[in-house]
Amino acid sequence: MPDHDVNPSRAVLITGAGGQLGIELQRCAWPQGWEVVALDRAALDLTDPSAIAAKMAERDWAAVINAAAYTAVDKAESDVVTAWAVNALAPAAFGAACAAADIPMVQVSTDYVFAGNKDGAWDIDDPVGPLGVYGASKLGGELAVRTSGARHAIVRTAWVVSAHGHNFIKTMLRVAESRDTLTVVDDQRGSPTSAADLAHALMEIALRLVDDDAAPTGTFHFSNAGAVSWAGFATEIFRQSTARGGSSAQVAPITTADYPTPARRPANSLLDTRAIREAYGIEPRAWQVALGDILDELIGAKK
Ligand SMILES: NC(=O)c1ccc[n+]([C@@H]2O[C@H](COP(=O)([O-])OP(=O)(O)OC[C@H]3O[C@@H](n4cnc5c(N)ncnc54)[C@H](OP(=O)(O)O)[C@@H]3O)[C@@H](O)[C@H]2O)c1
């Protein structure tokens, strides 16, 4: 058992306090004595590397979890410099500060670093090939952290959903209130990921990195278990929503070509989670079960 009492600092700095993941990181059951300092944009603007350096110098942090990101995938195509500032330069600034102070860093990354053109799930060592600015800037963040000298875990995830913020579940439920049928892309596959489940995994990793110098480092993948298309995901959302008395609609499958967007998206976002299971014993549960918990929170428990 790790002994948290021997660690002088138990303050973990978390960015993206108002985002899906940041909210869930604050709701996690951190061990007694841990202090979670979650910073939103007003408290720390990640486009300002000197502000990051100053925040890191402010006190004796135990670890950093960078949960913030420029996540507007389509907007990033025309807002390149801001996307790179938040997704690459900010992780670089954290990485440098963490290396200097010998603090472990957890960086969150994305399936969008891959081109999406593989049949099976993406392994951690598979060649990257981002299709757009968001993925490229997140890859820049990975490289910055990887080469920073900081002890780190880079955790790629995909299709993040929760009861908070902007995400596919909330969009589906909202649009279903005013429409009988929704067209949803059916030729992109992935594993929906509960922000709460991801947050719990990141907390476990951060605690291990703080307490154990030999804790596994490097790149990991975390998503909930199972594979589905967006249309299949929508169908399951409405099935489970109906069971809870929530909104529902028919799902009409379409192709990516039918729904043009400024940014190209990977056709296959499936992430192989073997590395995180083997290194940390973290076993992702089925995405349908995680979805149920989110709908319980959004609509209420099953009737
Ligand atoms: N959402 C997904 O489907 C998905 C998929 C794969 C990977 N990821 C990764 O998972 C992580 C968490 O994503 P999420 O779903 O929690 O995203 P999110 O809900 O969009 O939250 C992102 C957070 O980053 C903050 N942020 C953006 N620019 C900032 C800046 N200049 N200074 C300070 N804060 C800033 C946002 O603050 P404001 O609210 O003020 O804008 C927001 O709180 C990110 O690393 C993301 O790349 C997400």
Side-chain angles (χ1 to χ4, degrees):
M1 273 295 280
D3 183 1
H4 298 292
D5 291 339
V6 298
N7 192 323
S9 167
R10 299 179 197 167
V12 56
L13 187 159
I14 292 172
T15 62
Q20 296 193 79
L21 179 57
I23 288 171
E24 297 298 342
L25 279 163
Q26 293 168 80
R27 294 170 94 192
C28 277
W30 288 81
Q32 204 181 3
W34 276 81
E35 182 191 355
V36 173
V37 180
L39 305 172
D40 62 11
R41 185 192 294 260
L44 180 61
D45 181 354
L46 297 185
T47 61
D48 181 357
S50 63
I52 294 172
K55 182 57 73 179
M56 289 300 295
E58 222 170 64
R59 58 183 290 186
D60 182 19
W61 301 102
V64 169
I65 302 179
N66 183 25
Y70 188 112
T71 54
V73 172
D74 288 319
K75 199 172 157 210
E77 292 296 307
S78 54
D79 193 10
V80 180
V81 173
T82 316
W84 275 85
V86 177
N87 292 345
L89 291 182
F94 277 118
C98 286
D102 196 17
I103 297 165
M105 171 169 183
V106 179
Q107 167 71 9
V108 185
S109 193
T110 171
D111 55 306
Y112 276 56
V113 299
F114 295 118
N117 55 351
K118 187 182 173 181
D119 279 343
W122 293 95
D123 197 3
I124 51 168
D125 302 323
D126 276 333
V128 290
L131 299 172
V133 172
Y134 168 73
S137 63
K138 292 290 293 184
L139 179 58
E142 287 192 6
L143 293 170
V145 172
R146 215 168 270 142
T147 54
S148 65
R151 223 152 46 84
H152 66 268
I154 294 168
V155 182
R156 297 187 185 126
T157 188
W159 293 28
V160 178
V161 287
S162 75
H164 307 279
H166 303 287
N167 63 65
F168 186 74
I169 299 175
K170 292 182 70 182
T171 303
M172 288 298 107
L173 294 178
R174 188 185 66 245
V175 180
E177 282 172 9
S178 57
R179 282 194 236 158
D180 294 334
T181 303
L182 306 184
T183 54
V184 186
V185 170
D186 198 29
D187 57 357
Q188 291 170 24
R189 290 175 72 70
S191 307
T193 303
S194 153
D197 290 12
L198 173 62
H200 193 264
L202 299 182
M203 177 184 74
E204 278 188 38
I205 291 171
L207 291 173
R208 280 278 299 282
L209 286 171
V210 170
D211 278 325
D212 179 2
D213 283 344
T217 55
T219 306
F220 304 95
H221 289 168
F222 182 91
S223 62
N224 281 115
V228 70
S229 71
W230 287 114
F233 188 16
T235 303
E236 180 64 11
I237 290 168
F238 293 136
R239 192 187 71 75
Q240 293 201 26
S241 170
T242 302
R244 290 168 174 79
S247 62
S248 181
Q250 292 296 315
V251 175
I254 58 169
T255 65
T256 303
D258 294 329
Y259 186 72
T261 52
R264 285 174 66 203
R265 286 158 165 76
N268 175 16
S269 288
L270 288 176
L271 297 174
D272 187 325
T273 56
R274 189 170 43 89
I276 207 166
R277 286 186 276 121
E278 288 180 1
Y280 279 98
I282 291 168
E283 288 290 339
R285 57 186 179 153
W287 67 264
Q288 296 93 331
V289 179
L291 168 64
D293 281 355
I294 294 169
L295 292 177
D296 282 348
E297 195 175 342
L298 280 170
I299 303 169
K302 204 167 175 176
K303 291 182 178 148

